[in-house]
Amino acid sequence: MTKLSGNRQFLGDAVPFLVGAYPNRVAPAHVFSGFLAAGLGSGPKAESISQFIRDASGTATPPDHLSNSIASDPIQLRNLAESLVTVLDPDRRVFASGVSSSPVPICPAIISKNPSDDRFGAQLGALCGIWRGDQFGAILEMYQEKYRDPLSTLGNVLNANHRPKLQDPQEEVVRKLLRSCGPLSRRYFEALADFVYATTTRRYGTLSAHLMSVARSVYFASFLAALRSPVFLAKKPKAWADVAPLFVYGARPPGNTRDPAARLAIRSYSFVISEVQHALGELLSERLAKSSGKVPKGLPRATRTMTWVKLAFPEIKQSVENELRDELKSVTELKNVRTRILNAVYPIDYLARAYRMIGRMLGIVGPDRGSGSPRFLLETPVLGILVESTLAQGEVLSFEEWVDRVYERFGIVIGFGREMDPQQLLKGLDRPGPLARAIKESQEALRLRLIMAGLAVEYSDGETEMVNMGNGHHA
Amino acid sequence: MPDIAAELVSQFIDFLRSFKNSESLSPELRKKISVRTNLHKMLIDVCGGGRTVLLTGSAGSGKTHLLHSIVSEIAPLGRVLNEPDNLQEKFVLVVEDATELTPADRIKFALTKDPRCLCKLMAINEGPLREAARAKGGEYFGAAIALLHDGQRGISKKYDPQKPVVIDMRAYDPLEEGLIEHLLGLDLLQEAIETECPDEDSPRRRAWEMLSHPEVRARVAAVARLAKLAQPEWLFRDVWDFVADLALGGSDDEEIPSSPWFWRLFFGDNLISRAIRSIADPMLHALPFVESRIWYGDWMSDQIRLLDGITIMPIAKPETDEAFIWAKLQCLLLASNYRFDEAALGSADERLVAAVAGANTGALIKQINEYVTFGLADSNETSLDLWVDHRLERRAQSHTGLIKLGSAPASEFSIRKSLVALNHPNKEAAALPGSHSFLVHDSTNSVFSLDSRRLAILERSRSTRIADRDQVDFQWDLYRFFDSILGKKASDNVFEIYQADIERSRCNLHRYAVSRRPPLLEAKA
């Protein structure tokens, strides 16, 4: 890997949800913080709270409104800092410097705006703001009205009278995406916005459970957006059959590679990632083609290509330029320039690794570690969010109808459902016979997992219905 | 031996060897093999007042058989009809299979009011039930589905005459005490074995003699109940498959005969035997001293003490594994001072299984408290601690801090069983327990399922490894359960932070009080 891998100076201004150079930083806590900051602004206490809980020296400024017994006793202060780690930083995404920290946002004053999420949070915030204008109003309501548990009260104490103002998340790159992509893409992004909105407007028992659910749905939606936005921009597909099928392994993750369904999920992952790379290549070509006429004539061959590239990608910095120069060498033709840049900035193994890193943090891609080939999967907490957000509260839907719904909204294949065309789905993947069987087996395994998790009910006539009865209300 | 017509025996053998289906039985045979269970009384009690009774459950759960077998008992009350006619006398309407009616006809049947009609009985699978509920005017069936959903979680409500009485055959536990013992003692079964296996000295016949001892039959039934640890719900059809396999399965002609019931109990070709072996593999149960005697073929050893009146079938040289097990199984099942079912329970979650079986809420709550805190904190059985967890990210080794937002007294919980009779006017019948257990928080109706897999996880200590998906999924569901209770039971001003240091086997607990007005955070002792 070079310094160029995932460098956002190339397409960062054109492609939203673009994976960056450090995908291991795009953690759920950061993306959620970025998302909230987009709609509620960053909080004035984020940095000081981060310093307090992470400062081992005990010299950081403690929060306001502490009782004398805590404020005047260094041991009590240290205990409090350690206790707040459990509340605000169980994922270890808060740092002593306070910069790039993302404490669990139990109140608006500690919402942190930082660059660690590669703008995934802000861009999803913009997307949700466009499709669901009330998204952040509902979040504010969640903070202010809904809950009366002790952590909600603690949030109130830490919030110290901070009154966030609703903001209109401005991400031009998202608006551009929605302007330039086709109807399938618009439906997709609307479905993602709905997905997040569904968890936001749902009722939970505590603020904690509500926050965690919204955070999961935000991260899940961001990942799905990241997986498809380059393709939507480059290809403008009209139907799901026009893009690489996203087949999710339905049995218990991560699955044995000897299992045909696991192999299918691995193959699907590799297809989807190749398609992303191809789409990024197309977008690079497009930019280069647009600038080719602007290159001054008569430039020496040695500098001509670099000038062209700088015109196409005006944001690239000197260090990147130097490295790119070595990569490009003497190529001058569009096709060759594009291929060299693509292989340097978005090599396939980098993309495969990057999406795996982001996806595994929540349990959408696995295996978690080791040399096993990456595949799409759904860990149970993610499955829970998928069910919660795709069914209205109290809605009853047959399992097959739900499989159709998940495909229709997100292009995720978890089975054949009732209306899907297996031949169409499997086009290009492999021989349809064994794969169709693998998908059916995976669908059955998923059905059993849903029943075990209380997310579906099986009836004696073999019918399975999805249920969304709320937490704990399941048999 | 009573004189039983050969034709009846032949029919019975056909039944045992085929797909068990009540429709295929002659009335005479049905009467011979019927076992009177609590379901009969429950159904007869409800006949009257023009009520509609829906018998729900999957194929094989015994709906049709139950309907057939009570017809003679309800006949004195009135004529048993399949559809109303113009007679002036009282009648009972019976629909044996609702799939034969259209959804509209099912609704019409249920809602028909006729002063001459004592009761309407309908056997219906859940599919046709939901179909009727979705049809126009199907609210009555919708109410039945709601009752089923509640009953499957052990929630019973006051009798409402506007709703149907529902008997959920799926919830009924056919492994209940008495049923298997009764079936194994049927004269007709003995006759079937004698017909199929005329040689009195055959291993099958000699082994079956042991089952004339009531204690042996009771032990077989107790071992069969171990299958519930693998899967809580069993059908009448599964029980019949089990009994048929014990009686007629296997062969006498193998070197180690596979025909004796004690072999089939574990190695039979039926679902219950497979489940028993998965829970309690007899190979893994040691019999110190006895095993060495078996190995040397010392059958007269005083180490081998059997139930009174029982003689085992010795093997001259039990030197192969198979022969050794064949001999050992008899000692495991027939020893006077050893109970295989109890020993098996002892090795598989005895404490919790016993706690759930005995509805000992305190013991279960204590175990949950202990599990959540990694077994490092003092746990109590008087209240369930309610925790939340703010972790989102999957890390190889997860953070061990927890946040306690409240607790709920043990008195607010009950261990409930799924219910068989729903909206039954008779309180006693309405309380008949089904096969599935739950921990229920009464005031919020929050439910946590207690199957054997979950009890096994609770018995194990909690792991911090994210790769242990059994535990991750279990914890996810447990937190959902806590959250649904916390919606009503969270303390509004006190929380506790628990941090487990697993390497050093110790923990820290810090308690804080918070208030909104004035905003204040203080440490509590």
Side-chain angles (χ1 to χ4, degrees):
Chain A
M1 294 292 157
T2 65
K3 200 188 275 183
L4 293 173
S5 302
N7 196 303
R8 296 162 60 81
Q9 291 165 26
F10 289 87
L11 290 172
D13 59 341
V15 185
F17 306 102
L18 186 64
V19 289
Y22 304 103
N24 58 338
R25 287 193 324 204
V26 187
H30 292 321
V31 175
F32 188 39
S33 275
F35 173 78
L36 293 177
L40 303 180
S42 56
K45 300 279 176 187
E47 196 162 336
S48 61
I49 280 286
S50 298
Q51 281 170 352
F52 176 68
I53 65 174
R54 277 282 165 234
D55 178 33
S57 67
T59 55
T61 314
D64 299 333
H65 308 302
L66 299 183
S67 68
N68 282 339
S69 61
I70 298 180
S72 60
D73 181 349
I75 294 173
Q76 290 276 22
L77 275 174
R78 198 59 245 149
N79 286 345
L80 176 64
E82 281 172 15
S83 295
L84 287 181
V85 167
T86 297
V87 178
L88 303 176
D89 187 26
D91 285 349
R92 300 291 191 262
R93 294 289 177 176
V94 172
F95 310 109
S97 68
V99 181
S100 307
S101 284
S102 295
V104 174
I106 60 167
C107 64
I110 60 170
I111 292 172
S112 152
K113 185 177 186 174
N114 67 64
S116 302
D117 69 341
D118 282 349
R119 299 206 66 72
F120 275 34
Q123 287 166 357
L124 189 77
L127 200 65
C128 290
I130 291 167
W131 291 111
R132 290 286 163 260
D134 186 32
Q135 170 67 58
F136 291 101
I139 285 184
L140 208 51
E141 193 183 317
M142 175 177 108
Y143 279 125
Q144 290 169 344
E145 301 293 336
K146 275 193 173 170
Y147 298 104
R148 282 283 180 256
D149 59 76
L151 286 193
S152 160
T153 311
L154 175 67
N156 198 266
V157 170
L158 297 180
N159 201 46
N161 291 325
H162 168 63
R163 295 193 187 284
K165 284 191 185 138
L166 287 179
Q167 312 192 352
D168 182 14
Q170 290 295 331
E171 284 285 327
E172 191 45 36
V173 67
V174 172
R175 292 181 186 277
K176 254 196 250 173
L177 168 78
L178 293 178
R179 275 199 299 270
S180 58
C181 64
L184 174 72
S185 327
R186 272 194 287 276
R187 280 207 308 275
Y188 180 66
F189 290 117
E190 185 177 4
L192 293 183
D194 271 345
F195 183 80
V196 176
Y197 189 72
T199 31
T200 308
T201 50
R202 202 178 139 90
R203 174 85 203 188
Y204 291 83
T206 58
L207 176 67
S208 298
H210 203 157
L211 281 172
M212 293 304 105
S213 288
V214 180
R216 280 198 179 99
S217 63
V218 162
Y219 198 73
F220 187 68
S222 304
F223 178 78
L224 290 184
L227 211 52
R228 294 298 197 188
S229 67
V231 181
F232 283 159
L233 273 168
K235 214 170 162 183
K236 300 182 177 51
K238 289 187 176 134
W240 285 118
D242 299 337
V243 295
L246 196 165
F247 174 74
V248 173
Y249 180 65
R252 168 186 278 218
N256 191 316
T257 42
R258 278 175 297 185
D259 178 350
R263 283 213 302 274
L264 179 55
I266 291 167
R267 184 176 279 265
S268 169
Y269 183 83
S270 136
F271 262 54
V272 169
I273 301 301
S274 297
E275 191 180 51
V276 170
Q277 194 205 27
H278 186 258
L280 291 168
E282 293 291 301
L283 294 169
L284 288 171
S285 288
E286 210 176 285
R287 290 282 282 268
L288 287 165
K290 267 188 195 164
S291 310
S292 64
K294 296 179 192 165
V295 183
K297 288 186 179 147
L299 278 179
R301 190 184 165 91
T303 56
R304 186 181 157 71
T305 304
M306 210 54 232
T307 309
W308 180 20
V309 169
K310 278 166 70 181
L311 281 167
F313 308 105
E315 289 186 8
I316 58 174
K317 300 208 166 76
Q318 190 59 49
S319 59
V320 173
E321 191 185 322
N322 294 341
E323 202 146 331
L324 194 60
R325 188 170 286 118
D326 294 342
E327 293 288 337
L328 292 174
K329 296 199 174 82
S330 59
V331 294
T332 53
E333 278 189 32
L334 172 65
K335 190 178 148 199
N336 294 339
V337 173
R338 165 226 186 243
T339 307
R340 294 279 172 99
I341 298 177
L342 184 66
N343 289 340
V345 183
Y346 295 112
I348 192 73
D349 53 346
Y350 156 76
L351 283 174
R353 193 170 54 89
Y355 280 102
R356 177 180 179 171
M357 247 175 217
I358 298 170
R360 75 161 178 75
M361 286 196 223
L362 198 64
I364 315 162
V365 177
D368 291 320
R369 51 185 55 238
S371 57
S373 306
R375 68 209 69 169
F376 296 113
L377 43 79
L378 291 168
E379 295 287 352
T380 306
V382 185
L383 201 53
I385 283 294
L386 187 61
V387 173
E388 274 180 22
S389 300
T390 46
L391 291 179
Q393 197 139 351
E395 183 184 4
V396 176
L397 197 70
S398 82
F399 173 61
E400 287 79 11
E401 285 167 335
W402 181 70
V403 169
D404 284 338
R405 184 180 283 187
V406 170
Y407 179 65
E408 184 199 317
R409 292 188 185 175
F410 309 116
I412 296 176
V413 182
I414 46 179
F416 286 139
R418 282 192 182 150
E419 292 169 5
M420 290 150 77
D421 176 3
Q423 296 302 324
Q424 194 67 28
L425 283 178
L426 301 171
K427 201 171 63 180
L429 266 181
D430 208 334
R431 287 164 300 154
L435 291 188
R437 201 164 54 241
I439 294 182
K440 277 184 188 148
E441 281 169 16
S442 173
Q443 175 174 340
E444 175 58 13
L446 179 71
R447 190 184 70 83
L448 295 175
R449 281 181 67 208
L450 288 165
I451 294 166
M452 298 260 277
L455 299 167
V457 174
E458 184 185 31
Y459 292 102
S460 55
D461 57 347
E463 272 280 303
T464 299
E465 279 187 343
M466 306 300 297
V467 287
N468 189 11
M469 292 190 281
N471 286 3
H473 288 262
H474 56 276
Chain B
M1 185 62 52
D3 182 26
I4 298 168
E7 174 56 28
L8 205 57
V9 174
S10 166
Q11 268 185 38
F12 186 48
I13 291 170
D14 287 346
F15 169 74
L16 292 176
R17 291 208 184 279
S18 66
F19 183 72
K20 317 295 180 297
N21 185 341
S22 177
E23 283 85 348
S24 65
L25 297 176
S26 68
E28 199 183 1
L29 179 58
R30 187 179 299 125
K31 197 173 170 189
K32 280 280 178 200
I33 63 172
S34 274
V35 183
R36 200 179 158 81
T37 63
N38 288 322
L39 290 169
H40 288 72
K41 186 175 179 316
M42 189 187 285
L43 204 51
I44 289 163
D45 276 357
V46 87
C47 281
R51 291 187 191 98
T52 301
V53 184
L54 304 177
L55 272 83
T56 66
S58 58
S61 59
K63 300 184 296 293
T64 316
H65 183 78
L66 179 62
L67 270 186
H68 281 143
S69 60
I70 66 153
V71 162
S72 58
E73 293 185 60
I74 55 176
L77 302 173
R79 291 270 302 267
V80 176
L81 305 173
N82 296 119
E83 53 187 47
D85 64 15
N86 294 325
L87 293 171
Q88 292 305 306
E89 57 190 304
K90 291 188 183 299
F91 62 87
V92 175
L93 269 184
V94 175
V95 171
E96 288 179 11
D97 185 0
T99 48
E100 289 173 1
L101 302 179
T102 63
D105 285 343
R106 284 170 220 155
I107 295 168
K108 195 175 155 196
F109 171 88
L111 298 180
T112 301
K113 298 237 183 272
D114 187 328
R116 297 166 303 152
C117 179
L118 289 168
C119 179
K120 289 166 277 178
L121 301 172
M122 179 189 270
I124 184 166
N125 282 349
E126 283 159 332
L129 185 69
R130 279 177 296 126
E131 198 181 16
R134 284 178 189 151
K136 196 178 169 195
E139 295 79 11
Y140 194 73
F141 285 87
I145 290 175
L147 285 168
L148 272 173
H149 278 179
D150 281 344
Q152 282 164 6
R153 290 182 281 144
I155 298 167
S156 72
K157 293 187 175 150
K158 207 177 151 191
Y159 171 64
D160 180 350
Q162 302 305 316
K163 293 179 182 171
V165 176
V166 180
I167 309 290
D168 184 6
M169 298 291 286
R170 182 163 113 158
Y172 182 71
D173 183 1
L175 296 177
E176 71 165 334
E177 215 142 323
L179 179 60
I180 287 182
E181 290 97 311
H182 181 93
L183 295 181
L184 291 175
L186 282 175
D187 290 340
L188 196 57
L189 191 61
Q190 173 79 33
E191 187 74 2
I193 292 168
E194 286 170 11
T195 307
E196 285 293 275
C197 183
D199 178 5
E200 272 183 40
D201 287 331
S202 67
R204 188 191 308 277
R205 290 279 296 269
R206 285 170 61 207
W208 200 262
E209 278 300 308
M210 298 173 189
L211 288 172
S212 59
H213 198 303
E215 173 65 16
V216 180
R217 293 203 299 272
R219 286 190 178 195
V220 173
V223 173
R225 276 194 289 279
L226 291 173
K228 293 203 289 186
L229 296 175
Q231 171 187 320
E233 288 168 359
W234 292 94
L235 305 176
F236 271 106
R237 179 173 289 152
D238 298 323
V239 172
W240 268 116
D241 282 341
F242 172 70
V243 170
D245 191 36
L246 252 52
L248 300 180
S251 164
D252 281 332
D253 301 330
E254 292 158 292
E255 192 177 343
I256 302 299
S258 59
S259 54
W261 62 269
F262 52 80
W263 183 264
R264 308 223 60 77
L265 182 58
F266 296 98
F267 302 102
D269 186 18
N270 66 84
L271 295 174
I272 291 181
S273 294
R274 273 179 230 144
I276 293 170
R277 201 163 76 246
S278 74
I279 289 295
D281 188 340
M283 321 275 228
L284 305 178
H285 283 261
L287 287 175
F289 308 115
V290 172
E291 288 187 11
S292 56
R293 295 299 93 204
I294 297 173
W295 185 257
Y296 292 111
D298 178 12
W299 302 110
M300 303 307 289
S301 164
D302 59 3
Q303 300 288 348
I304 301 175
R305 274 174 288 162
L306 301 173
L307 291 167
D308 286 343
I310 291 288
T311 46
I312 58 172
M313 299 163 61
I315 274 188
K317 284 185 182 174
E319 287 164 356
T320 63
D321 284 351
E322 208 177 15
F324 179 73
I325 280 291
W326 199 87
K328 181 180 156 184
L329 283 178
Q330 298 177 68
C331 296
L332 282 172
L333 296 164
L334 304 169
S336 62
N337 54 350
Y338 179 84
R339 284 287 298 254
F340 176 78
D341 54 310
E342 287 170 7
L345 273 179
S347 63
D349 324 324
E350 175 188 21
R351 200 155 53 96
L352 281 185
V353 169
V356 170
N360 184 349
T361 316
L364 182 67
I365 281 177
K366 184 169 191 266
Q367 188 65 31
I368 296 175
N369 288 338
E370 209 169 289
Y371 171 84
V372 176
T373 55
F374 300 88
L376 297 174
D378 293 334
S379 61
N380 71 82
E381 56 178 54
T382 55
S383 61
L384 181 69
D385 297 332
L386 304 170
W387 306 86
V388 294
D389 187 352
H390 284 180
R391 283 173 303 159
L392 275 174
E393 206 172 320
R394 290 177 57 80
R395 287 177 173 245
Q397 211 66 23
S398 61
H399 179 62
T400 52
L402 296 163
I403 310 155
K404 182 175 153 187
L405 296 191
S407 58
S411 58
E412 292 181 0
F413 292 89
S414 48
I415 293 174
R416 293 201 201 151
K417 293 265 190 183
S418 49
L419 297 171
V420 178
L422 312 160
N423 197 38
H424 198 289
N426 178 342
K427 277 187 182 170
E428 201 180 308
L432 182 71
S435 49
H436 207 128
S437 302
F438 304 93
L439 179 64
V440 180
H441 183 249
D442 298 321
S443 62
T444 57
N445 267 347
S446 305
V447 173
F448 188 68
S449 171
L450 297 169
D451 55 34
S452 56
R453 187 180 49 91
R454 290 179 166 215
L455 295 181
I457 292 171
L458 266 179
E459 282 278 343
R460 276 153 51 193
S461 52
R462 183 175 172 176
S463 160
T464 56
R465 285 178 61 244
I466 206 80
D468 191 339
R469 286 182 171 81
D470 268 344
Q471 296 229 12
V472 173
D473 291 359
F474 175 81
Q475 288 158 26
W476 170 76
D477 205 26
L478 193 58
Y479 286 128
R480 277 164 32 110
F481 178 57
F482 290 159
D483 186 63
S484 69
I485 302 170
L486 279 167
K488 286 194 178 164
K489 298 294 294 182
S491 137
D492 64 348
N493 64 347
V494 175
F495 67 95
E496 288 175 29
I497 303 295
Y498 176 83
Q499 287 154 330
D501 183 344
I502 293 174
E503 277 177 19
R504 295 184 182 84
S505 291
R506 64 185 186 200
C507 61
N508 287 322
L509 187 68
H510 299 296
R511 200 154 180 254
Y512 297 95
V514 275
S515 69
R516 281 174 193 258
R517 290 192 187 84
L520 185 67
L521 173 65
E522 55 185 332
K524 301 279 276 184

